[in-house]
């Protein structure tokens, strides 16, 4: 069941629905927060389904896994009675719903979840969702050098779009400007909002010379409109060239599915069921033989962008697919936590991942595939990324 729900916005918008991409992720060490009793993989469903309200960002690849887990019946197979809530107001609205108890699980990154945790909202990251980050795209007619740091230095004195001042996108740009050897104030940070339409409008006008956009929008601007990709925060070579804090993010991912501790404590074993459902959706989604069905399902759910129709669906989806993962690479959680503390978005007193990260999140694609096979679902596929 899919419901379109508009929640009342509470507090400051900390991040776009697009989230930070590279994310806040996992450590599988014994110090990580145990999500609930029971082991990983092969979780059997009991005779009584566990109710769970899962939030989706309609039209966004950030919740493709959560959506397909429902559409393909993986939630039901694992004993979860899932109600899907379509969120139209962005990540801050989704997490406000978690805080109010009107939702149980939502997708986000640490800059989005962190301020809620600081305010005493008990949340636990229970699954991976995506491994992707921002990309800087030039406006039509904007041309800069093709390599860092010259590409960023060429933006000195220009307007560059971010979701809003103080959001993760702002800090991503500010830290990259510093890495290029410039004063963080040498460019003009312009708040353009978090919707795709807002980013497109800002880039199509003279308002900004470049903007941070999500990978799906970057695909549109660079492959459909042929505008310049200036910096890709998802690319290891680009992060290595930036060095410093950016180098620490290589191989670390971070959009998670966060559950309220109230839901976790009320439903022992629910986390493991949820993790396995996401892992099964992950393996099924990455099986090339399932591509036509995946595209059909996403199209029926109106989760493909308007520019990805007909023959354009496949190349677009293949550009996004590597970012959709249910696992979180080992060591990500402390690395990402430290990144945001050093960047100044979170205070030095922010708790360690052991207090907000499930110890049963898989940390590699091989582990995901093994868990799915252990559950008797080897037929779904042989890869998770």
């Amino acid at each position: 069941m899919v419901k379109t729900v508009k929640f009342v916005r509470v507090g400051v918008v900390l991040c776009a629905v697009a989230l930070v991409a590279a994310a806040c992720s996992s450590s599988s060490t014994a110090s990580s927060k145990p999500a609930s009793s029971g082991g990983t993989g092969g979780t059997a469903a009991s005779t009584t389904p566990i109710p769970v309200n899962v939030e989706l960002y309609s039209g966004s690849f950030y919740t493709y896994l959560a959506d397909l887990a429902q559409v393909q019946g993986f939630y039901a197979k694992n004993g979860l009675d899932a109600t899907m809530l379509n969120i139209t107001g962005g990540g801050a609205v989704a997490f406000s719903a978690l805080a109010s108890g009107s939702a149980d699980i939502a997708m986000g990154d640490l800059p989005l979840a962190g301020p809620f945790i600081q305010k005493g909202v008990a949340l636990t990251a229970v699954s991976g969702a995506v491994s992707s980050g921002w990309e800087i795209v030039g406006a039509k007619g904007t041309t800069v050098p093709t390599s860092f740091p010259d590409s960023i230095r060429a933006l000195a004195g220009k307007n560059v779009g971010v979701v809003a001042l103080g959001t993760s996108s702002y800090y991503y740009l500010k830290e990259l400007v510093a890495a290029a050897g410039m004063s963080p104030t040498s460019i003009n940070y312009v708040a353009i909002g978090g919707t795709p339409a807002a980013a497109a409008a800002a880039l199509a006008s003279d308002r900004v010379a470049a903007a941070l956009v999500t990978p799906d929008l970057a695909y549109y601007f660079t492959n459909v409109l042929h505008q310049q990709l200036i910096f890709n925060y998802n690319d290891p070579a680009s992060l290595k060239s930036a060095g410093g804090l950016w180098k620490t993010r290589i191989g670390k991912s971070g959009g998670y599915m966060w559950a309220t501790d109230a839901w976790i404590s009320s439903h022992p074993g629910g986390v493991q069921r949820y993790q396995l459902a996401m892992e099964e959706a992950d393996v099924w989604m990455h099986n090339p033989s399932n591509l036509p069905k995946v595209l059909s399902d996403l199209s029926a759910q109106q989760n493909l962008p308007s520019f990805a129709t007909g023959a354009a669906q496949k190349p677009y989806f293949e550009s996004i697919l590597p970012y959709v993962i249910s696992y979180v690479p080992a060591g990500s959680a402390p690395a990402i936590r430290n990144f945001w503390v050093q960047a100044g978005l979170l205070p030095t007193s922010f708790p360690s991942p052991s207090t907000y990260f499930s110890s049963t999140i898989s940390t590699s694609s091989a582990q995901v595939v093994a868990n799915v096979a252990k559950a008797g679902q080897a037929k779904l596929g042989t890869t998770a990324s």
Side-chain angles (χ1 to χ4, degrees):
M1 173 167 54
V2 178
K3 296 180 180 178
T4 298
V5 178
K6 292 185 179 180
F7 292 105
V8 177
R9 184 179 299 273
V10 178
V12 178
V13 177
L14 299 167
C15 185
V17 63
L19 306 174
V20 154
C24 195
S25 285
S26 104
S27 154
S28 62
T29 63
S31 63
S32 295
K33 182 175 184 177
S36 64
S37 59
T40 61
T43 303
S46 73
T47 56
T48 304
I50 292 175
V52 59
N53 293 321
V54 182
E55 300 184 84
L56 300 178
Y57 299 125
S58 182
S60 169
F61 77 93
Y62 287 104
T63 50
Y64 275 3
L65 270 182
D67 188 24
L68 291 174
Q70 172 76 335
V71 173
Q72 283 298 311
F74 295 118
Y75 288 147
K77 169 193 165 293
N78 288 287
L80 296 171
D81 180 15
T83 297
M84 314 306 288
L85 309 175
N86 280 333
I87 303 301
T88 59
V93 175
F95 276 75
S96 293
L98 287 185
S100 71
S102 56
D104 303 313
I105 296 178
M107 188 270 168
D109 59 358
L110 188 59
L112 190 56
F116 284 89
I117 292 173
Q118 285 180 269
K119 293 176 183 177
V121 179
L123 301 174
T124 297
V126 296
S127 172
V130 293
S131 172
S132 61
W134 302 101
E135 299 182 32
I136 302 178
V137 176
K140 194 171 184 65
T142 296
T143 302
V144 300
T146 57
S147 61
F148 182 88
D150 292 339
S151 56
I152 302 303
R153 290 174 179 169
L155 297 176
K158 300 183 183 299
N159 293 338
V160 181
V162 296
V163 172
L165 302 184
T167 62
S168 57
S169 62
Y170 164 79
Y171 280 92
Y172 261 58
L173 181 56
K174 177 174 171 286
E175 291 301 322
L176 188 64
V177 169
M182 305 159 62
S183 165
T185 60
S186 61
I187 67 166
N188 303 317
Y189 303 87
V190 177
I192 60 174
T195 66
L203 285 166
S205 67
D206 293 329
R207 190 178 176 199
V208 297
L212 273 72
V213 299
T214 53
D216 45 356
L217 282 180
Y219 179 91
Y220 171 69
F221 289 125
T222 60
N223 288 275
V224 179
L225 299 183
H226 306 293
Q227 295 169 206
Q228 184 181 0
L229 175 64
I230 295 175
F231 190 87
N232 186 352
Y233 292 95
N234 309 305
D235 177 42
S238 296
L239 296 178
K240 184 177 180 180
S241 68
L245 277 179
W246 296 108
K247 195 172 181 180
T248 68
R249 299 199 64 132
I250 296 174
K252 307 299 188 296
S253 72
Y256 321 128
M257 303 302 293
W258 296 81
T260 64
D261 284 12
W263 179 81
I264 292 172
S265 62
S266 296
H267 303 290
V271 167
Q272 282 73 27
R273 297 189 195 192
Y274 188 82
Q275 289 170 338
L276 182 56
M278 291 285 280
E279 290 178 338
E280 289 174 341
D282 188 352
V283 172
W284 177 82
M285 183 181 184
H286 285 85
N287 186 334
S289 66
N290 293 328
L291 180 59
K293 180 59 176 170
V294 173
L295 293 177
S296 175
D297 284 349
L298 293 177
S299 181
Q301 294 290 98
Q302 298 184 334
N303 269 336
L304 291 174
S306 60
F307 61 83
T309 60
Q313 285 186 348
K314 185 172 181 287
Y316 164 75
F317 179 76
E318 289 177 339
S319 75
I320 294 300
L321 184 59
Y323 299 138
V324 181
I325 59 175
S326 61
Y327 65 93
V328 181
S332 289
I336 300 303
R337 181 259 179 207
N338 293 341
F339 175 93
W340 287 113
V341 168
Q342 291 180 58
L345 184 62
L346 296 175
T348 56
S349 60
F350 191 78
S352 70
S354 62
T355 66
Y356 59 81
F357 216 85
S358 167
S359 62
T360 54
I361 299 178
S362 291
T363 57
S364 69
S365 60
Q367 187 178 353
V368 169
V369 172
N371 286 344
V372 170
K374 183 179 177 182
Q377 296 295 307
K379 63 184 180 182
L380 294 177
T382 58
T383 185
S385 64

